[in-house]
Amino acid sequence: MELKDKRCILAYTSMYVEPDGKIRPCCVAGDFEDELNFNDFDTVEEMYNSRQMKELRKSMEDGSPLSICDVCYKGGNNLMPYWNEKWKHKLDNPELRDDNYNVKSLDYLDTRFSSLCNFKCRMCGPGLSSTWEEDYVAIHGEVGENYLKYRKVINPDPVSKFSAKDLQNIEHLNVGGGEPFITADFWKLLDSFTDEHKAQITMYVNTNGSVINFKGENVLEKLAKFKEVVIGVSCDGFGKIGEYQRTGFKQERFDKNFTEMVEFSKVNPNVITTLEYTITTMNIFHLQDFIYHIKEKWPSIGYEGIHMHWATSPVYFAPVLAPENLKNDIINYIISIQHNKRNDGALYYINQPNEYRAQYSYSVDDSLTQFLNHLIYSDTNAIREWGPNRNVGDAKHFIEKLDELRGENWKEVIPHMKSIIDG
């Protein structure tokens, strides 16, 4: 059913900042046709009340949202409905914006202030991982060299651009990287809030799980001062699949750090440790094994602590854009997982307050149902054209060149990718 109200609350309350300074309304939105960049403004208020943001709000209220939001309106992403429900009181507020589509404050800050990272995951690139740069040039040659030479970077010390007034209304933080736990700007951002304000802020932070301590400080102790923090630990598989998809991932190190996070959460219930699994064409048939592996190794995580997402870029790693035969195999596989899980008699729930479940109502079942709907009903043309990094080149060249550079062989780890690699 088509929505009558086309507004997304994030267009009025949120701002997403990338390592190159590019600003979007949220982390899944595409780029503004006329680029909005952190470096071009003197104040943060000028950013979230920029001409581009006001035009986006107007387009939603006129019933024809700008195409930068197609990933939700046409592609089936659930970020908009989630936040519209969570912040319905804001959406219903008659003073949500003034007559010129200006808003009074920034309530949700979503940042990737740096691309500094110690991983170079295969579905990533130099825009979000500093360790990707050498491989990027090896794959793309002069085009890659020119990208690195002329790319924009956010101005030094971006946190200092946020005044006390900018920060005072922040209710929610979403922080990613790069790898935030090794990024000085992440630590500076946390220290920008008073302890009293921290106690009012909820946060989601995404990490690769490789680091817990930074310059003598324990990140878990620092995060525990906030009202509620969900640590989303990216882990797209275990063993060979995990290490192939996420170059830099070491199983032994991950197990040690993740166990420490899980144990910390048991005695600090406001710090919630979860797993974030990005479903790609590489690891899709590893999904069932992963779910049961986590259930056996960290039973307190349970099914509700595993969150599934799906890749939409690069296109050959996006399951929804897989060749029809492979896509049908994926659909049947997801259906079989749902059937097996519902009948294995082992459903159990993370020991967290009801407020947690209301706010983060994810589960394996929910995620897989959403993913199945995404595979069947999404507008694949919209996904293929949406957002950055669409021009990804040839799958065979990309995957085999990375294998050569990293001493790996796709045929030994992900042989089902043959239909994509062969075109």
Side-chain angles (χ1 to χ4, degrees):
M1 181 181 295
E2 187 174 358
L3 294 172
K4 292 181 179 179
D5 187 349
K6 295 294 183 72
R7 294 176 301 164
C8 171
I9 191 60
L10 297 183
Y12 299 81
T13 59
S14 169
M15 187 172 75
Y16 170 72
V17 186
E18 289 195 326
D20 61 0
K22 195 175 295 180
I23 295 173
R24 298 188 248 146
C26 72
C27 62
V28 302
D31 297 330
F32 285 104
E33 185 175 345
D34 182 11
E35 182 181 298
L36 187 58
N37 196 284
F38 190 90
N39 298 336
D40 296 336
F41 296 86
D42 294 326
T43 70
V44 171
E45 184 175 1
E46 290 174 322
M47 299 176 200
Y48 63 77
N49 280 326
S50 62
R51 172 181 54 80
Q52 293 92 327
M53 290 295 290
K54 291 191 288 187
E55 287 176 352
L56 176 61
R57 294 164 194 155
K58 184 178 186 302
S59 74
M60 290 178 173
E61 294 184 26
D62 289 344
S64 300
L66 298 181
S67 61
I68 66 168
C69 295
D70 279 355
V71 69
C72 281
Y73 291 103
K74 296 181 180 180
N77 192 284
N78 68 337
L79 195 67
M80 178 182 69
Y82 171 76
W83 281 99
N84 276 0
E85 177 62 27
K86 177 176 171 57
W87 277 355
K88 188 176 185 300
H89 61 289
K90 295 180 183 289
L91 200 60
D92 292 341
N93 187 340
E95 297 182 353
L96 178 61
R97 52 87 173 172
D98 67 18
D99 292 343
N100 294 315
Y101 298 93
N102 292 300
V103 296
K104 295 179 180 178
S105 64
L106 183 66
D107 303 343
Y108 179 156
L109 177 59
D110 192 345
T111 69
R112 293 177 180 266
F113 284 141
S114 174
S115 62
L116 181 66
C117 191
N118 52 356
F119 280 19
K120 47 182 178 180
C121 305
R122 284 177 176 257
M123 59 287 188
C124 194
L128 294 176
S129 171
S130 55
T131 57
W132 240 101
E133 295 179 5
E134 185 176 346
D135 287 358
Y136 193 77
V137 172
I139 291 171
H140 297 289
E142 186 178 353
V143 172
E145 291 177 356
N146 287 336
Y147 167 78
L148 296 177
K149 181 178 179 180
Y150 296 111
R151 67 177 169 172
K152 294 181 179 179
V153 294
I154 201 166
N155 61 6
D157 196 13
V159 178
S160 293
K161 191 170 282 193
F162 290 82
S163 68
K165 181 182 177 182
D166 295 325
L167 297 174
Q168 69 184 5
N169 291 301
I170 297 293
E171 296 181 33
H172 184 75
L173 290 171
N174 192 323
V175 186
E179 171 48 46
F181 289 0
I182 63 172
T183 305
D185 286 323
F186 169 68
W187 294 78
K188 182 172 182 177
L189 178 64
L190 299 191
D191 290 338
S192 297
F193 300 99
T194 65
D195 285 349
E196 183 180 12
H197 193 182
K198 288 176 186 176
Q200 306 300 316
I201 296 175
T202 59
M203 186 193 313
Y204 174 87
V205 58
N206 182 248
T207 175
N208 60 33
S210 64
V211 173
I212 291 179
N213 297 292
F214 179 80
K215 294 185 177 180
E217 290 191 87
N218 183 282
V219 69
L220 301 177
E221 296 289 348
K222 212 168 187 70
L223 294 175
K225 295 180 180 180
F226 286 78
K227 177 182 179 180
E228 184 172 79
V229 178
V230 176
I231 305 175
V233 185
S234 291
C235 181
D236 304 329
F238 64 91
K240 289 183 178 180
I241 286 284
E243 293 181 355
Y244 183 87
Q245 178 157 315
R246 300 182 64 81
T247 304
F249 175 86
K250 302 298 181 187
Q251 190 69 58
E252 184 177 353
R253 178 181 62 186
F254 177 86
D255 288 357
K256 176 179 179 295
N257 288 344
F258 190 70
T259 297
E260 184 173 338
M261 293 179 189
V262 170
E263 294 304 311
F264 187 88
S265 292
K266 288 179 181 178
V267 295
N268 296 272
N270 65 315
V271 179
I272 301 158
T273 300
T274 65
L275 282 162
E276 309 295 331
Y277 188 104
T278 299
I279 305 171
T280 70
T281 48
M282 292 180 286
N283 69 3
I284 178 61
F285 298 114
H286 180 66
L287 193 49
Q288 178 79 92
D289 291 340
F290 179 80
I291 292 170
Y292 283 110
H293 173 78
I294 298 303
K295 188 186 75 171
E296 292 171 5
K297 195 166 186 66
W298 295 284
S300 64
I301 290 296
Y303 288 125
E304 286 195 343
I306 305 173
H307 305 162
M308 305 291 174
H309 314 272
W310 52 86
T312 57
S313 175
V315 293
Y316 36 78
F317 291 153
V320 72
L321 300 177
E324 282 305 307
N325 288 344
L326 179 57
K327 187 173 175 180
N328 288 334
D329 289 344
I330 292 170
I331 290 171
N332 290 330
Y333 176 70
I334 296 300
I335 291 172
S336 74
I337 291 178
Q338 290 183 301
H339 176 77
N340 290 341
K341 192 177 76 60
R342 287 175 180 141
N343 291 281
D344 72 359
L347 287 175
Y348 52 97
Y349 299 94
I350 192 166
N351 184 23
Q352 295 290 353
N354 290 334
E355 181 183 355
Y356 166 80
R357 293 202 186 107
Q359 185 171 353
Y360 302 98
S361 57
Y362 302 112
S363 68
V364 169
D365 240 6
D366 291 340
S367 298
L368 292 180
T369 297
Q370 291 167 6
F371 179 51
L372 190 60
N373 289 338
H374 168 70
L375 289 170
I376 297 171
Y377 300 116
S378 289
D379 182 340
T380 54
N381 287 328
I383 292 171
R384 190 174 283 107
E385 297 300 325
W386 163 81
N389 303 320
R390 297 296 94 194
N391 185 21
V392 293
D394 175 66
K396 180 179 177 64
H397 170 72
F398 182 89
I399 293 170
E400 292 187 345
K401 186 64 176 179
L402 272 189
D403 278 357
E404 177 188 332
L405 293 168
R406 300 179 184 182
E408 297 171 316
N409 187 339
W410 67 269
K411 294 177 183 179
E412 297 175 358
V413 186
I414 49 172
H416 62 271
M417 288 286 288
K418 187 177 189 302
S419 63
I420 293 174
I421 292 170
D422 289 348

